[in-house]
Amino acid sequence: MKLTVVGCSGSFPSAESACSSYLVEADGFRLLLDMGNGALGELQRHIGLYDLDAVFLSHLHADHCIDMCGYFVARYYRHDGGRCPAIPVYGPEGTEQRLITAYADTPTPSAMAEVFDFHTLKSGSFDIGPFAVRVERVAHPVEAYGIRLEYGGRTLAYSGDTGVCEPLYELAADADLFLCEASFTHGKEDIPGLHLNGREAGELAQRAGVGRLLLTHIPPWTDAGRNLADAREMFPGPAELAAAGAVYEV
């Protein structure tokens, strides 16, 4: 699998990065994990607008899904080559209505579904293209899911947005690469069921026995270096900060 960090800033874009969006490729199939603020523009640095095969939306906060409104425009109003066929979009219950509400003026009530083939996420296992997928609901104020992708004997786990919870450990268990949020600072914020800090991400990675830890979703106001140091205190394996444009082989 090939992982490209399209955007990794938490809550709102930073000067260096768009919000959450990660491109995963295998066997010619291109799956996008989230499409937050600014991600659609950055995505075009890596692939063409119409080269995606599926989209996974971990939850419906704007920093993970709002650029789907712009992507609707690109697919619905395309003139050269005609309108795009519907692309599979996996998201929590109500994803279609949330995007319609955010866009605010779709041409018809069914327009969003004409270019996005919506699938409602529930905890469980299924396939997306060549990937064996497992999703589990994680700890966040809205319905939110982490995802585990397996292909060719390799595993990538993505936390989405979450606080500490057992399902996240299950998704990350023995993963070759764990893409894990670390929004909070240890000893500063303490809000259960919302986000992880660097120390918690490191503890989880150590417990799950992951091969590599990649911290992401760190807001511009958070000291990323401190979060990484906290994670490394708890996790003895390779750990680093996600950066926009970085590419990883899994």
Side-chain angles (χ1 to χ4, degrees):
M1 287 181 281
K2 176 183 175 182
L3 168 66
T4 301
V5 179
V6 179
C8 55
S9 184
S11 300
F12 58 95
S14 71
E16 292 79 29
S17 177
C19 283
S20 295
S21 192
Y22 312 92
L23 179 64
V24 185
E25 302 174 72
D27 197 23
F29 191 93
R30 291 164 167 168
L31 169 64
L32 193 70
L33 308 179
D34 287 332
M35 193 184 288
N37 319 41
L40 183 59
E42 290 300 312
L43 180 64
Q44 294 171 73
R45 296 180 184 273
H46 307 286
I47 62 172
L49 270 175
Y50 309 109
D51 292 339
L52 281 178
D53 295 294
V55 178
F56 166 86
L57 300 177
S58 63
H59 65 292
L60 299 178
H61 282 155
D63 60 325
H64 291 257
C65 73
I66 199 62
D67 269 27
M68 290 292 290
C69 292
Y71 199 40
F72 164 76
V73 172
R75 297 187 73 87
Y76 189 87
Y77 292 105
R78 186 179 75 164
H79 293 287
D80 293 342
R83 182 177 298 166
C84 296
I87 182 176
V89 175
Y90 299 82
E93 186 173 356
T95 295
E96 179 181 2
Q97 188 56 52
R98 177 64 62 88
L99 294 180
I100 291 171
T101 300
Y103 189 82
D105 191 26
T106 53
T108 69
S110 65
M112 197 72 71
E114 291 177 33
V115 294
F116 297 144
D117 178 17
F118 291 101
H119 298 259
T120 300
L121 289 173
K122 298 294 181 184
S123 294
S125 299
F126 54 97
D127 293 336
I128 300 178
F131 301 107
V133 175
R134 178 181 174 185
V135 298
E136 295 292 346
R137 187 162 179 177
V138 292
H140 204 51
V142 300
E143 186 178 356
Y145 293 88
I147 187 170
R148 179 184 178 95
L149 300 172
E150 298 182 8
Y151 173 81
R154 307 289 286 177
T155 301
L156 165 66
Y158 169 49
S159 67
D161 280 13
T162 182
V164 176
C165 62
E166 192 65 18
L168 183 57
Y169 161 73
E170 295 170 2
L171 290 175
D174 299 317
D176 295 287
L177 191 151
F178 182 29
L179 181 61
C180 186
E181 76 118 288
S183 305
F184 286 164
T185 303
H186 176 61
K188 180 181 178 183
E189 298 107 337
D190 183 17
I191 307 173
L194 183 57
H195 289 297
L196 300 171
N197 59 46
R199 182 183 180 89
E200 290 167 336
E203 288 175 336
L204 181 65
Q206 192 279 331
R207 180 188 171 206
V210 307
R212 188 176 190 179
L213 175 62
L214 187 60
L215 298 182
T216 192
H217 198 273
I218 300 177
W221 52 42
T222 297
D223 184 342
R226 176 175 171 185
N227 278 17
L228 179 59
D230 287 346
R232 285 174 169 168
E233 283 188 9
M234 308 307 298
F235 176 62
E240 60 190 284
L241 299 171
V247 177
Y248 301 87
E249 296 295 329
V250 182

